[in-house]
Amino acid sequence: MVLALFLAAPVWAGEAENLARAIQENSFDPQECYRVRDLALVIEDIKIYLTDGHLIFGKPVAGKRIAAAFVADVEGGDAEVILLPPDRAERRSLASYIHSPNLDEHFRTGLFLFTRDTYETVLAQLPSNSANRRAPEVGALLNEQFTPVLRNLSASYQTRMVLDLLNHVAGDGGLFASVLDSPVLGAFDLVYDPLRAEPIIAGQMTSRDNRLFLDSWCSFKTRSMRQAATPPAPDMALSDYRIEAAIGSGLELKAVTRVKVRLSRSGVRALPFDISPLMTVASATVDGQPAEVLQRESPRGNALRGGNEMFLVVPSEPLNAGRDYDFAFEHSGKVVFDTGDRVLFVTARGNWYPLHGLQFANYDLTFRHPRDLDLVAPGELIETRADGDSRVTRFRVRSPIRFAGFNLGNYARARVEHDPYVVDVCANRALQRDQRPQPSLPMRDVITLQPSRRATDTISEPFPVAPPNPLDRLKEIAAGVDAALEFMAGKFGPPALDHLTVSPIPGTFGQGFPGLIYLSTLSYLRSAPRSAGSLAQAQELFFQQVLQAHETAHQWWGNRVTTGSYRDNWLMEALANYSALLFLEKTQGGHAVDTMLDTYRTELLAKGENGAQVESAGPVTMGTRLESSLDPGAWRAVTYGKGTWIIHMLRRYLGDQRFYAMLADVLKRYDHQEISTEDFRRVAARFTPPKSDDADLETFFDTWVYGTGIPTLKMSYGVKGKAPALRLVGTVTQTDVGADFSALVPVEIHLPGGSIHIQWVRCGSDPAQFSVALKQPPTRVTLDPDRSVLRR
Ligand SMILES: [Zn+2]
């Protein structure tokens, strides 16, 4: 049924395929080799000076020169690149990799790929220096030397370049990608891609422990975008997904995905989509007419796209704005793995079908799957019926969500109906053979407790006594998730969907999709940690309580309110995690929250793999860029640990009542919308206490959100004068942080009779004085007794 539709679709080498091949097989053109002096390539903030050397262009592809190579192979030959990041965070990030806040680097060779008018720009400059002349004799050598390198780099950009060439992107609208080789830094990438939200990126591909990293040294919006008042409108809107998927006995997945696509401009020849690199898109139709599909492997491109692979659809005719087109894709791949005894692992949870960014859409999902397996997906279960050796299960999601996952296994189930919500919890009937984490499998939104040696040991051997049973906590989880859902609905309003299914995933992480939670198989076991101590305690708390509440909280944070940029994702993680701690506080008491906060602080203060304090890796707004080769674990500690502390500090500053009102207001204002970190600051600023020292929260955000540092705070004080005209005079000293760091810290003054006065003190690089008039001597004066500030 699923595949019949496509049998008629012919397979032919179309225009995109031909272009991709031409790009891949391109070579240099010795007739277009020049001895060059003082040429400048200026692309927004990027300045490249080809001071002295040879420049050779590639042969035309579709009538356009799209490649060049420069080499400083003459006496005194030289070239230079200058890139000045526009803000402190980017300068800091750059400095952490190259020990300089600005990129001003000489290079010996450079390879350039472009769909913009780079060739024309260079030709126009040639007459300006009489030393510039054709050098075909050098061209023959350079062609031999650089063509293999060109083909290697072209593999990474061919899909992206075909997109521009087919859409006839002209002038300065196209891509510019370069690899420059400097004697100091080695080979590094410098890219201008106007399709990215941050078009300029400089970085380096590195491999470490058999893992490929794209270290993004700096990434930012172009000069003209920074000056523009409004961001560009989205180019493609997707709605009404209808997916028919078949999972075979070998767990291979084949699917037909149908979706409506609406464009914001006309005359579009090629459309880009994203999908997991594990999925192959075999064919596509647009309004029933066969369209060409171009999908090519691109490790560099995937690293730039957060693990997604770009593929193109080229309809038989250009598409226009203002109407919906019915797209259908046939795609297949191996994204479900059996870890043994039908304990299954779904790898591509959010990108197993074609996407274009993350957009809210309705879904109708039908799965044909092996009869012995249960299949769960978001939304309302429309039907499930046996059909021979298979089972057909259909779900419908009527309230828009941004991505639809699925999970399957041989499940036992528990249900809690709690009008208007239903919670279904699925547990594997069998225990997975290997209860250890599976680091070789790709993971996204990974949340684990601790990267340190000690914690890993505890994770790998937490069950010394009786053989664990994955059904142990089935009912407990159902009751726990139901209670968390009720608690959060009471604070934040209704969740993303009325029906929430919790299902197991092998590993030490969880993921909170709309209507569907993936919960670590560890959370299903009643653990008995061998070692005592706060770390083991925190670990047990994490897998038994926090993880499921965290993923439940994503029903609001991430699935009702969302973010559009990697820079803002910390906010969803921090709010989800803090919501989990609020629930923990209610069910287990404040000490449980303290245990978690203390664990996060320990992780942030620990030395990372590069010997630096983990927290210093960068601010929370660097997001997944912190998962770099410098210290891959920093991203997790900063996003979850520091993020949680930021929300906690905000709560202490606003006070509980204002804090809860603020969270409810965020949900009201940004329901089914994207919120940025700055949007969040502005909403939170509406809830600062009267006469607040930091009413717009700008200092708070500069210090904790956009900056780094964990201060040491010390207080001294004395009482002057005679009762009843006393004066408490004190000093708070802030050390171990940068000069512009400014913590606002409470001093708690206990008075006879039990009343408490709280004095907030603004710290800075100089000791901060405070002075309070009192009628009687205080019984006790303490600095920040209640974990209001993240400090050493
Ligand atoms: Zn999360």
Side-chain angles (χ1 to χ4, degrees), residues 445 447 510 512 550-551 554 573 576 640:
D445 189 19
I447 168 162
H550 173 110
E551 305 308 344
H554 272 313
E573 293 309 328
Y640 295 98

Side-chain angles (χ1 to χ4, degrees), residues 18-19 127 339 348 467 494 497 532 572 608 646 666 712 720 781 789:
N18 289 335
L19 273 175
T339 68
L497 299 172
M572 295 300 106
I646 289 170
V666 168
T712 298
K720 292 180 179 170
V781 179
V789 178

Side-chain angles (χ1 to χ4, degrees), residues 10 59 86 128 299 314 331 380 408 586 658 721:
K59 293 195 173 126
S128 64
V314 186
H331 52 104
E380 193 188 331
L408 67 173
K586 180 179 173 267
R658 288 166 176 279

